[in-house]
Amino acid sequence: EGMVLDEGVIVEIVRPGSGDPVPAPAPGATPEVGEIVVTTLNAGYPLIRFGTGDLSAVLPGPCPTGRTNMRIRGWMGRADQTAKVRGMFVHPAQVAEIARRHPELRKARLVVSGEMASDRMALHVEVDGAPEGLAAKLGDSVRDVTKLRAEVVLCAPGTLPNDGKVIDDTRRFA
């Protein structure tokens, strides 16, 4: 079940765009999906925190085969989620910067929608309650970081999908 990692390789699962490790799952909880980052201390070909661009999650519990090293779910998609909105590129690192400016956020996801020449962005954020003025402050941060406007949607903790996406481009191009 899953992929058992080689003992000579250090693997981290991080939030795309930020490089911050995803939190360890609570017992019985679903592990958070993130980008695989690899470190190998091989003298012939060393890698230090190499972002693979692939998404995965840590599998909890022991391996049925008896192996004791960390296991991951395997390949779950790509972490590069850059989107072009109204002629401007928006990168996961920009969403991470917006979230960094607002420590009360638990998770952020930028949803891009619309048709050709009428792109729309909505920043969905998980936050406890609905702090006064937070939506307006987030809107200002989005505009400051991306140079674009976005609707802000405040969501309850645990409601955003656990799929590793930071930017979800829902547009369909013909």
Side-chain angles (χ1 to χ4, degrees):
E1 182 181 355
M3 298 173 64
V4 179
L5 301 175
D6 183 280
E7 287 80 4
V9 178
I10 300 167
V11 173
E12 300 171 88
I13 305 293
V14 303
R15 289 201 169 105
S18 74
D20 297 333
V22 300
T30 303
E32 190 173 331
V33 176
E35 181 180 4
I36 300 169
V37 174
V38 178
T39 297
T40 63
L41 303 177
N42 179 329
Y45 194 71
L47 295 173
I48 308 296
R49 292 203 84 213
F50 173 74
T52 65
D54 294 327
L55 296 174
S56 193
V58 174
L59 283 173
C63 180
T65 65
R67 300 268 317 263
T68 58
N69 204 23
M70 180 169 69
R71 296 178 302 142
I72 59 174
R73 287 180 56 187
W75 189 80
M76 298 176 66
R78 292 290 297 160
D80 181 21
Q81 301 158 23
T82 301
K84 193 171 188 180
V85 181
R86 288 179 242 140
M88 303 279 290
F89 284 102
V90 181
H91 304 276
Q94 291 173 298
V95 178
E97 173 59 26
I98 294 163
R100 214 177 341 272
R101 292 180 180 197
H102 301 275
E104 61 272 39
L105 303 183
R106 291 180 174 216
K107 198 174 193 181
R109 179 184 189 109
L110 189 68
V111 178
V112 182
S113 61
E115 302 286 325
M116 181 81 74
S118 66
D119 300 325
R120 293 184 306 278
M121 294 191 324
L123 181 67
H124 296 249
V125 296
E126 288 184 3
V127 63
D128 291 318
E132 183 76 28
L134 178 61
K137 290 176 187 173
L138 283 166
D140 291 343
S141 290
V142 170
R143 196 169 32 263
D144 182 45
V145 172
T146 68
K147 309 302 182 223
L148 298 164
R149 295 185 192 281
E151 173 190 0
V152 175
V153 180
L154 302 180
C155 306
T159 57
L160 292 179
N162 180 19
D163 58 7
K165 284 187 179 180
V166 176
I167 299 176
D168 186 10
D169 192 345
T170 64
R171 300 171 293 182
R172 299 289 173 245
F173 298 100

